Structures are given as C-alpha cells and as structure tokens.
C-alpha cells in the first residue's frame, strides 16, 4: 500500500494486524470489512468509532450477532457498520432537575461545583453502565418504548434488550412486544422511584432496593474508547476511513437559511443560573463587556444550545487588522459573530477554489466587515444581509490577492 509510506514501522505493524484480523481493532481496510463490502456490493462504509475500537470477532451483548451478521446496506448503498454507546438517561434527568430547582430559587446559590456533584450523584440511580451494542439494538430500545408506551426517559439494559429483540442476520430487529411490556411493567415502579430520587437525591437511603446491573468490563463502551490510546491519530483515521461526503450545496446557502425566532427568552433567574454555573465562560470577559462586532451584552448572548441547555459561548480569535503585527489582532467576540466571519471567509475560498493553510479563517476578515452583514438579535442566532455579505466577499478577495505583497504569516495554496 503506497499510502503506508507516511507511517512508522510501529504504525504499519498495527495496520497489518487490522488487515489480517490479528488485532484488537477493526476498520475499513480489514480483510473482513473488504470481504463484506464486496458481498453486499456496497459503495463505501458507514462506520462508527466503536466499530473501529472493537475486535473483528466482537459479538453484540444484546442480540448476540457478530459483525458480519450486523452489517447491511444503508439508504446510500454504503455498508452500515454501527456499534454505538447505549446509556441510561438518568444523567440528563438529574441535570434538568438540577436546573429547574436552581432557577426556581429566590436567590441563585448553585455553582459549577454543585452541578458537578449532582452529575456525579447520578451513578447511584443508574440502571447500568454505558455499554457497546449494535445500532439495531439501540434503535430497538427506542422503538420498543414507543410500542408499549413506556416512559420516554426509561432505558432498557442490554440484558433486557436481549429478552425482547428478534434478531436476524443483516436485518433490522423485530420486537417481541409482550416481552418488552413485561420488562417495562417489572421496572415501572422502580423507575418511578428513581425519578423521585433524581428530584431529591438527599432523600436517598439504604432501602436495599438497588437497580444496578454490572456490565462486564469488556462490554463497556469506555473500555473500547480507552483502546483508542493504542493507536496513533493517523492509524485511526485510516481505519475509520474518509468522512462521508455531504450533498453539494451552494457556497452561500449557510447565510440564506432563516433562523426561527427563539421562543424562549431567558428569565432573570436563568441568566443568573448561567452566570453562576457557567462561571468559567462568563468570567472570560468583564461585566461591562459587549461583543465588539454585534454590540450584544453577555446577558443578550444567553440562549439554549443544541442540547436544549441554557449557555453562553464566547470565542477568542484572530481578526484582520492591518495596523497590528502580522496584520491580525486577537480578541473576544460572541460565537455567532465568530462563525459568521469564519463561514464567509470559507465561502470565499470555495469560490476561488484555493486552500488556506492557517486554520484561523477569521484572520482574513475585519470585525467591521463582519458587522456589515450580521443582523444580531438578543438571545438568538444571527441572520444576515446577503447583499452586504457579497460586498464583504469582494473585500476579502482583494485582501487575498494582496497577501504576497504583505509581510504576514498567512499562507494560501
């Protein structure tokens, strides 16, 4: 393999072990993977991290299928190689209960240490440790809950999934509804007790009604994640294969999407909660700070993230400044302004079909130029003035053309 020339002898030894199946790992280059790809006439691979970090003879602890029995074609004709980390949802429940109780107080007294304690305490009400199972078993867990109208936050363990899935080689699971219902009914009262404990952990006592199910170490997801340390980054990248290509979109599509107006505005206690619990992010800048681009205060930056959690995110990044050393200055801006500047510069490079060696794309745009096309809203993502954005692109193009004449450390290929 010509591409192996870039690897060390130690890395090549690891790679050859994967290829011939004599390894703790798997990957797109293994003889087994290539054989299965040919058998299914697949175009490529749809493969997860845990598939790479598990041995080629791994067997799902829930459905009992081997890797060759798990694979199938996905909707894009790629070979579906999915092993995922299945978990109990109690951590999310405790975090939400913690937040609700905190913001309901007359005065916020919780801080980041209090939240860390609440999260650590979830171990006493977990039904099982995170476990590596196949993607079909993970889907069967969600599907079974819907079919029997179980509580959406309940999770079946891998042992329980084994009791209600009807597994067939290279096909999605069917579900034995009667068995799933029986398991849910057997767990329902205990689950309700666990919900009460999550709401008031201090009342937990030695009732001897424990629900912990000890998953064997070699089935735990973190066991396989630790195996990742035995691989170099380059070897892992080779094993997991290239990223699946996304559908080609127009360069400017990102700024033409209309953001939905945020339905939830943070109440004063929500802002106080973020200020206290997310103190590290909040204290990156002083209390009077406003984003130098969109002029929003820290309070106006608080909003729900992709996980539905109230948060604040600032970025300390380089921006173009012809009066500064190397024509760049570093300053804190809000995440929305950072992303706007970064994406517009990336769009510019796609237009001219060139690559930028420096990863700090915002180093090629000024803060005033970002301010020209962003339309800020309090506690919401930016929308954009596309006509002004087109104008700023012309300014960036002119700057890129002048770079060889300037004494900078910015490189374009």
């Amino acid at each position: 393999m010509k591409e192996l020339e870039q690897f060390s002898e130690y890395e090549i030894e690891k790679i050859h072990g994967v290829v011939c199946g004599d390894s703790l790992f798997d990957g797109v280059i293994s003889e087994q993977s290539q054989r299965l790809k040919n058998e299914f006439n697949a175009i490529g691979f749809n493969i997860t991290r845990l598939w790479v970090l598990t041995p080629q003879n791994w067997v799902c602890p829930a459905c009992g299928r081997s890797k060759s029995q798990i694979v199938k074609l996905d909707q894009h004709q790629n070979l579906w190689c999915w092993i995922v980390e299945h978990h109990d949802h109690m951590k999310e429940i405790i975090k939400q209960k913690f937040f609700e109780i905190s913001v309901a107080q007359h005065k916020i007294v919780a801080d980041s240490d209090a939240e860390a304690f609440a999260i650590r305490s979830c171990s006493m009400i977990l039904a099982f440790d995170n476990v590596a199972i196949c993607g079909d078993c993970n889907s069967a867990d969600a599907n079974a809950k819907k079919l029997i109208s179980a509580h959406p936050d309940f999770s079946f363990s891998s042992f329980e999934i084994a009791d209600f899935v009807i597994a067939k080689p290279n096909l999605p699971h069917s579900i034995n509804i009667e068995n799933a219902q029986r398991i849910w009914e057997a767990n329902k009262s205990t689950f309700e007790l666990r919900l009460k404990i999550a709401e008031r952990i201090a009342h937990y006592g030695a009732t001897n009604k424990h629900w912990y199910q000890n998953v064997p170490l070699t089935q735990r997801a973190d066991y396989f994640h630790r195996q990742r340390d035995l691989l170099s980054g380059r070897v892992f990248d080779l094993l997991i294969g290239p990223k699946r290509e996304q559908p080609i979109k127009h360069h400017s599509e990102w700024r033409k999407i209309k953001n939905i107006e945020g339905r939830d505005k943070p109440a004063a206690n929500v802002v106080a909660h973020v200020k206290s619990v997310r103190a590290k992010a909040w204290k990156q800048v002083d209390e009077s700070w406003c984003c130098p681009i969109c002029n929003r205060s820290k309070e106006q930056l608080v909003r729900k993230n992709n996980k539905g959690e109230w948060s604040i995110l600032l970025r300390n990044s380089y921006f173009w400044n012809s009066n500064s050393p190397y024509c760049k200055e570093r300053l804190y801006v809000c995440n929305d302004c950072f992303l706007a500047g970064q994406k517009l510069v990336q769009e510019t490079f796609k237009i001219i079909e060139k690559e930028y060696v420096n990863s700090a794309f915002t180093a090629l745009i000024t803060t005033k130029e970002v301010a020209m096309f962003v339309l800020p809203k309090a506690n919401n993502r930016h929308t954009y003035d596309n006509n002004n954005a087109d104008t700023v692109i012309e300014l960036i193009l002119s700057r890129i053309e002048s770079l060889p004449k300037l004494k900078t450390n910015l490189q374009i290929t």
Side-chain angles (χ1 to χ4, degrees):
M1 299 172 67
K2 186 177 180 180
E3 58 266 36
L4 292 183
E5 295 176 358
Q6 62 180 308
F7 297 102
S8 66
E9 290 184 5
Y10 173 79
E11 290 171 331
I12 292 175
E13 181 180 354
K14 290 288 184 183
I15 293 169
H16 281 310
V18 173
V19 171
C20 64
D22 184 22
S23 174
L24 294 174
F25 307 105
D26 201 352
V28 298
I29 62 172
S30 72
E31 291 178 355
Q32 176 175 271
S33 294
Q34 290 298 317
R35 174 179 57 79
L36 291 170
K37 178 186 175 184
N38 292 334
E39 286 181 7
F40 284 81
N41 197 26
I43 296 174
F45 293 89
N46 182 352
I47 189 170
T48 64
R49 174 188 176 93
L50 277 172
W51 191 279
V52 170
L53 297 178
T54 48
Q56 293 171 38
N57 62 354
W58 180 88
V59 173
C60 178
C63 67
R65 294 184 303 174
S66 65
K67 286 188 170 182
S68 62
Q69 295 172 321
I70 292 170
V71 297
K72 55 180 180 283
L73 290 178
D74 66 13
Q75 67 270 32
H76 302 297
Q77 302 303 302
N78 289 311
L79 194 66
W80 188 82
C81 309
W82 272 45
I83 297 174
V84 299
E85 185 170 347
H86 180 63
H87 68 285
D88 190 307
H89 291 288
M90 280 296 161
K91 181 177 181 180
E92 290 93 331
I93 293 173
I94 282 187
K95 288 180 69 175
Q96 183 60 29
K97 296 290 185 183
F98 170 78
F99 168 78
E100 292 172 356
I101 294 171
S102 176
V103 299
Q105 305 304 304
H106 177 69
K107 179 181 179 181
I108 300 296
V109 294
D111 57 15
S112 56
D113 288 341
E115 184 183 49
F117 165 77
I119 294 172
R120 285 196 298 267
S121 297
C122 77
S123 61
M124 71 175 68
I125 53 175
L126 288 178
F128 53 89
D129 294 299
N130 290 12
V131 58
I133 61 175
C134 73
D136 286 326
C137 283
N138 197 52
S139 297
D141 169 78
N143 294 336
K145 287 187 290 186
K146 293 178 181 178
L147 289 171
I148 63 175
S149 299
H151 194 289
D153 289 324
F154 174 76
S155 294
F156 293 101
S157 72
S158 57
F159 308 111
E160 292 162 344
I161 292 173
D163 202 18
F164 67 74
V165 295
I166 302 172
K168 294 182 180 180
N170 316 112
L171 290 172
H173 293 331
S174 299
I175 294 171
N176 185 318
I177 298 178
E178 181 179 349
N179 283 3
Q181 186 71 55
R182 172 179 51 78
I183 294 169
W184 163 239
E185 292 300 329
N187 280 279
K188 187 175 181 180
S189 60
T190 302
F191 179 73
E192 292 171 348
L193 173 62
R194 292 162 59 203
L195 288 178
K196 293 178 181 177
I197 296 173
E199 190 167 12
R200 196 172 182 183
I201 291 179
H203 284 187
Y204 175 78
T207 61
N208 200 31
K209 295 181 180 179
H210 71 85
W211 46 83
Y212 181 66
Q213 301 178 47
N214 184 25
V215 176
L217 176 62
T218 54
Q219 292 180 13
R220 297 179 189 177
D222 60 355
Y223 169 82
F224 297 111
H225 285 307
R226 286 196 298 270
Q227 299 289 78
R228 166 66 178 81
D229 296 335
L230 301 177
L231 294 173
S232 72
R234 293 188 299 174
V235 171
F236 180 80
D237 289 342
L238 178 69
L239 299 182
I240 203 165
K243 292 182 179 179
R244 286 173 287 149
E245 293 185 2
Q246 299 297 323
I248 298 176
K249 299 180 180 179
H250 191 272
H251 304 322
S252 63
E253 186 171 341
W254 66 272
R255 54 184 167 95
K256 295 180 179 178
I257 297 174
K258 296 293 183 181
N259 291 325
I260 299 175
E261 183 72 28
R263 296 186 180 92
D264 298 327
K265 296 292 184 182
N269 258 12
V270 171
V271 175
H273 174 86
V274 172
K275 181 178 180 180
S276 180
V277 176
R278 305 283 179 254
K280 184 176 180 180
W282 191 274
K283 292 180 180 179
Q284 287 177 310
V285 292
D286 60 40
E287 287 299 312
S288 62
W289 178 91
C290 289
C291 176
I293 297 177
C294 68
N295 203 37
R296 293 184 299 177
S297 66
K298 289 193 286 184
E299 287 79 6
Q300 292 175 318
L301 299 181
V302 175
R303 71 159 183 265
K304 287 186 176 180
N305 59 22
N306 292 336
K307 296 180 180 179
E309 302 170 339
W310 289 102
S311 63
I312 181 173
L313 182 58
L314 307 179
R315 294 293 192 112
N316 186 16
S317 186
Y318 287 109
F319 287 84
W320 181 271
N321 186 334
S322 58
N323 297 321
S324 298
Y326 301 111
C327 296
K328 61 182 181 179
E329 62 177 339
R330 189 165 191 164
L331 67 161
Y332 278 100
V333 299
C334 73
N335 186 56
D336 295 316
C337 285
F338 167 80
L339 292 177
Q342 180 187 61
K343 289 181 178 179
L344 198 69
V345 175
Q346 289 173 333
E347 178 182 337
T348 305
F349 276 96
K350 289 178 181 177
I351 292 173
I352 61 177
E353 297 182 342
K354 289 187 176 181
E355 292 186 4
Y356 183 37
V357 176
N358 193 319
S359 60
F361 285 95
T362 55
L364 284 174
I365 190 170
T366 70
T367 55
K368 289 183 178 180
E369 288 166 352
V370 177
M372 284 176 59
F373 73 93
V374 297
L375 302 173
K377 295 181 181 179
N379 312 111
N380 205 353
R381 293 181 175 87
H382 289 336
T383 52
Y384 309 102
D385 184 321
N386 288 296
N387 290 330
N388 284 354
D390 292 336
T391 299
V392 174
I393 284 178
E394 294 301 320
L395 297 174
I396 298 171
L397 286 171
S398 176
R399 185 168 297 131
I400 291 172
E401 291 174 357
S402 68
L403 279 179
K405 303 175 185 178
L406 300 175
K407 294 181 179 180
T408 73
N409 63 346
L410 307 176
Q411 300 178 12
I412 297 174
T413 60

